[in-house]
Amino acid sequence: MASEFRRKESRAQTGKYYGKGAFIFSVSVAILVGAFIIIFESNLSPAYSIDNLKNFIAPAVTALVASASLVVSFVALKEQTKMRQAGTDPVLIAHLGEDPDQPSLVRLRITNVGAGAAMNVSMRSDMDLSSSPKRLTGKTFDTPFVRGEAVIRTILQGNFVSYNLGLGFELLQDPALPPFKVSLRYQDIEGVQYSSSHLIDVTELAGQPANEPPLMKISRSLEKISNKLK
């Protein structure tokens, strides 16, 4: 079971302009070709046909150049739209995280690593709660959002939501907590839909240090001294 990349389920409305530009260009070329065919296949005298051809060349070339310029403009508009969207597209990932104050506590995080706000975020998990529920801390998988029954309205750029899973050494006890998949759906500020799925596997934490931070050690030492003085 492998994790999947983000998918864009709907396109921004600005993409329709490029299609109009291509259509206009196609119609213009068809008109020009049709006009040339009519001139060359007419039953008029050669001199009259040549005069008509001379009178037609200038406006025909002008129309062709104008059509080409129109297409180039629409292509440039589409590229600018892509660049603008790249600066506002959210990208959500589901992953394992640690509490800086309690490194042994493993958390499930939904982080926005994109360049814009993620709107109306929904989540679904295929976690089998009957596998080892005693290892899980709290009732993370009973919350409405994790069950897929509620949405988070906004996750801003660089922000995340976090849910406790359990203590690392307990989650890794043989047999380790089975891998599970998290599926995410969300929108950007223009209403474009995105979806992605992520494999969560606690065994990737095996061998990683979970030492107590120095500040926590100092805090506990001060607490012990304070209790003795009391």
Side-chain angles (χ1 to χ4, degrees):
M1 179 171 58
S3 58
E4 302 176 7
F5 293 101
R6 183 185 69 154
R7 298 186 300 274
K8 181 181 289 188
E9 298 186 346
S10 60
R11 299 181 180 275
Q13 295 297 321
T14 51
K16 61 184 180 181
Y17 296 116
Y18 176 74
K20 289 183 178 179
F23 175 76
I24 293 173
F25 176 75
S26 300
V27 171
S28 300
V29 171
I31 293 173
L32 292 175
V33 172
F36 276 116
I37 292 175
I38 292 174
I39 289 176
F40 282 110
E41 292 187 356
S42 64
N43 295 322
L44 300 176
S45 63
Y48 190 67
S49 297
I50 292 174
D51 290 338
N52 282 344
L53 182 60
K54 289 180 179 179
N55 294 332
F56 179 76
I57 287 177
V61 171
T62 301
L64 186 59
V65 171
S67 300
S69 300
L70 183 62
V71 172
V72 171
S73 299
F74 277 110
V75 171
L77 176 61
K78 186 177 182 182
E79 292 302 319
Q80 290 177 0
T81 300
K82 286 183 178 180
M83 293 178 64
R84 179 178 60 82
Q85 289 177 345
T88 59
D89 280 359
V91 180
L92 293 185
I93 60 172
H95 61 102
L96 296 174
E98 298 178 350
D99 188 333
D101 296 329
Q102 296 178 325
S104 60
L105 180 60
V106 179
R107 292 183 171 180
L108 173 64
R109 285 185 176 178
I110 312 298
T111 303
N112 185 358
V113 298
M119 314 292 293
N120 299 321
V121 181
S122 63
M123 168 185 167
R124 284 192 178 277
S125 169
D126 64 354
M127 161 65 76
D128 182 9
L129 294 178
S130 64
S131 58
S132 50
K134 295 181 179 180
R135 302 184 186 185
L136 301 176
T137 301
K139 298 182 178 181
T140 295
F141 291 91
D142 289 334
T143 57
F145 172 69
V146 177
R147 288 202 311 262
E149 299 175 356
V151 300
I152 293 179
R153 297 299 177 188
T154 306
I155 301 180
L156 298 178
Q157 174 189 3
N159 288 10
F160 62 85
V161 293
S162 181
Y163 298 89
N164 294 337
L165 281 184
L167 298 176
F169 63 90
E170 292 182 350
L171 297 177
L172 290 170
Q173 280 181 352
D174 190 25
L177 185 72
F180 60 95
K181 186 172 69 173
V182 171
S183 300
L184 301 174
R185 292 174 61 90
Y186 53 99
Q187 298 173 309
D188 62 17
I189 57 176
E190 294 182 346
V192 179
Q193 295 275 358
Y194 301 89
S195 66
S196 63
S197 59
H198 310 267
L199 182 66
I200 306 299
D201 188 354
V202 297
T203 59
E204 67 186 41
L205 300 176
Q208 297 187 24
N211 299 328
E212 188 178 42
L215 290 178
M216 286 297 298
K217 293 180 179 180
I218 295 174
S219 175
R220 290 186 179 182
S221 298
L222 291 175
E223 184 178 357
K224 291 180 179 179
I225 293 173
S226 176
N227 291 334
K228 288 182 178 180
L229 291 176
K230 289 180 180 179

